Amino acid sequence: MIREELSEEYGELLFMIEDEFDEAILGVAERIGMESVVAYDTDKIIEILSRDMPEDDALEYFEYNILGAYVGDRTPIYVNTIKINL
């Protein structure tokens, strides 16, 4: 499982409680002088939430309850990926 693999490599990490969001994990972000944190794909989280609610509600839920939640120095980061057509 990805949680165990990342924890073995990086030590103590803070993941979203629901493991259904594991498929949205991009990896681990490292910052100078700060703790490593889990990086999640914003679009994938909204896609997962949209399985149980309309997309507008999923976006609102994400922004308020996930993006807006600070849970300490190990709070995950959320990445907006850019899709480029080459």
Side-chain angles (χ1 to χ4, degrees):
M1 194 163 158
I2 193 165
R3 291 175 185 238
E4 287 80 19
E5 291 176 29
L6 292 176
S7 293
E8 282 181 25
E9 180 75 23
Y10 294 94
E12 186 178 334
L13 293 168
L14 182 62
F15 295 91
M16 294 178 67
I17 294 172
E18 301 86 356
D19 60 4
E20 68 186 325
F21 293 110
D22 286 2
E23 63 186 276
I25 294 174
L26 295 171
V28 174
E30 299 181 75
R31 304 166 294 172
I32 297 296
M34 301 177 82
E35 302 286 347
S36 297
V37 296
V38 179
Y40 287 91
D41 181 327
T42 298
D43 291 334
K44 188 66 176 174
I45 291 173
I46 294 168
E47 177 187 314
I48 293 166
L49 290 169
S50 294
R51 295 173 188 165
D52 297 323
M53 64 182 79
E55 188 171 349
D56 288 344
D57 291 345
L59 179 59
E60 182 178 332
Y61 182 91
F62 169 76
E63 289 174 346
Y64 184 78
N65 295 293
I66 298 174
L67 185 61
Y70 177 76
V71 290
D73 291 341
R74 292 196 179 262
T75 299
I77 63 169
Y78 304 95
V79 178
N80 295 313
T81 56
I82 298 172
K83 315 263 188 303
I84 299 175
N85 296 322
L86 299 176

